[in-house]
Amino acid sequence: MQFEEKKASALNAVRSRIDQFHAALIVTEEQVRGLLSGSSKTEDDRSEALGYFAKGKVNMERFNTFAPKVRRLENDAEAPVRAAQAVLKSLLAEGDDLFIVDMQDGKGLGHSLSVKLAHIGRAFAAARVVDLAKNGAYKEDKHAATLERFPYATWNSSERALAPALVVNVSGEDFKPSSVVPLLDTNMKIIFNVRGDAPAAALARVISPGVFVQQITGEPDLKAFKDFKGIAVAAFLPETAVSFVHDPSAGSTTYERFVSIAFPKEVRKRPIGGISPAQQAEDYKLLESLSVPPEIAGEAASDPAGKLSAWLLSQTNLADLSA
């Protein structure tokens, strides 16, 4: 599958998250528009609030004489509210590009995603500015800058729950996914579309009990990624990489969560983007160790029933029974 086809497949897999965020932007912008139409004296604002079907059909000068008045914004509140509205409109105008990161070669992966999220976060900053302005708490020297950049670290839990998915186009040499781990919170979803050679076990250090992780080396099957409720990370990688799916809903132990895994027949020893063969080998071994069931030692190893009982005992904490 070609690079652009993978990009389209990735966007399709996160379409519901993109549509959800777009819908939130639209609703917020409409609410802000309504707030401004009630406070403004201009016919253009009221005409826009009435909508497309009223344009050219309603005498706005006459309408303004009897239309119910919404509580006016204070004069000093209108400017920041209009600035917030402009931010919401500009983000909506970006369409799908708002959720795509085209990495420049040599730029840090974590940094690039943080920049994108700070840009997206302006939507939340806009909502905050409107609320602050309405309540007379807006301070230009403190809050105006948030409309230009609102980093992910400052998002609250509700804002993180609304975080849209990202599609990241990146070269194999710049693909260092461990740098994005601090961004994996609540409902974050990221799909990496990797160009060229890449480490075979690149996503090994992203794996944790509650995070869905998938490496894809063949035809894309992102249904499980799409359906997973929670944090999810996937990557399109070359055939020289490990193909696997780590699904937190599949079991309570790590190896149970590896619902599929296929190792390449050969792993070439070569540095990639500053990651040495030794470092790559460690990630590969980590993936191997996580994906296999624990070995049963002693006499139980030759007895199927003993294996089962030994495994059950290994999962049980008997500390409280010794008293």
Side-chain angles (χ1 to χ4, degrees), residues 1-322:
M1 179 176 283
Q2 298 299 314
F3 187 81
E4 288 301 319
E5 292 176 311
K6 292 178 181 178
K7 177 180 174 181
S9 178
L11 281 171
N12 182 61
V14 298
R15 177 58 57 191
S16 62
R17 296 296 301 276
I18 289 176
D19 289 346
Q20 179 188 39
F21 193 80
H22 266 148
L25 283 178
I26 290 170
V27 170
T28 305
E29 196 278 325
E30 287 177 347
Q31 291 176 341
V32 173
R33 187 198 314 163
L35 180 65
L36 287 168
S37 68
S39 67
S40 176
K41 296 179 181 179
T42 68
E43 291 184 11
D44 289 343
D45 285 321
R46 284 197 174 275
S47 178
E48 188 174 3
L50 283 173
Y52 172 80
F53 292 105
K55 291 182 179 178
K57 300 178 182 179
V58 176
N59 184 324
M60 291 306 302
E61 185 175 350
R62 184 182 179 194
F63 176 82
N64 284 333
T65 64
F66 64 82
K69 301 296 189 293
V70 179
R71 181 175 63 86
R72 288 180 54 82
L73 287 171
E74 297 297 331
N75 289 338
D76 58 353
E78 190 168 334
V81 171
R82 288 193 179 279
Q85 183 188 38
V87 167
L88 294 169
K89 285 184 174 181
S90 68
L91 293 175
L92 276 168
E94 292 186 41
D96 286 351
D97 288 343
L98 182 61
F99 314 102
I100 298 173
V101 180
D102 289 313
M103 284 271 302
Q104 297 181 18
D105 291 346
K107 297 290 185 180
L109 185 61
H111 172 75
S112 296
L113 266 64
S114 293
V115 169
K116 172 62 78 171
L117 289 171
H119 178 68
I120 293 171
R122 296 165 69 219
F124 302 127
R128 292 191 186 192
V129 163
V130 170
D131 189 60
L132 289 165
K134 283 170 55 181
N135 292 289
Y138 175 80
K139 305 293 182 185
E140 185 171 1
D141 59 343
K142 183 178 180 181
H143 302 122
T146 64
L147 294 177
E148 301 298 324
R149 182 177 180 273
F150 196 62
Y152 185 71
T154 61
W155 298 14
N156 63 33
S157 58
S158 297
E159 291 161 347
R160 291 189 177 203
L162 277 173
L166 297 176
V167 174
V168 184
N169 301 315
V170 58
S171 70
E173 292 199 349
D174 292 321
F175 187 45
K176 301 178 177 67
S178 60
S179 63
V180 307
V181 170
L183 305 176
L184 301 180
D185 188 21
T186 316
N187 289 324
M188 182 64 74
K189 280 185 164 57
I190 305 174
I191 300 180
F192 296 101
N193 191 12
V194 183
R195 299 185 305 270
D197 202 9
L203 290 180
R205 296 184 186 275
V206 177
I207 295 168
S208 62
V211 178
F212 182 100
V213 185
Q214 182 176 9
Q215 286 193 179
I216 307 161
T217 59
E219 289 299 311
D221 180 4
L222 289 166
K223 185 180 185 306
F225 173 95
K226 182 178 179 180
D227 294 342
F228 185 74
K229 306 299 182 184
I231 306 167
V233 179
F236 292 115
L237 291 170
E239 294 182 354
T240 52
V242 182
S243 174
F244 71 85
V245 174
H246 172 268
D247 187 349
S249 63
S252 59
T253 60
T254 304
Y255 81 91
E256 288 177 313
R257 295 192 289 267
F258 278 88
V259 296
S260 69
I261 188 162
F263 291 92
K265 294 180 179 179
E266 181 182 0
V267 178
R268 289 182 294 148
K269 296 180 179 180
R270 73 286 186 215
I272 302 175
I275 303 177
S276 70
Q279 290 173 306
Q280 294 176 55
E282 283 299 305
D283 289 345
Y284 195 92
K285 290 176 183 177
L286 174 62
L287 197 54
E288 285 182 319
S289 66
L290 292 173
S291 62
V292 297
E295 294 184 0
I296 306 301
E299 296 180 0
S302 60
D303 175 17
K307 287 182 179 180
L308 176 60
S309 64
W311 183 84
L312 288 172
L313 287 171
S314 72
Q315 305 303 305
T316 306
N317 185 356
L318 301 180
D320 295 335
L321 302 181
S322 60

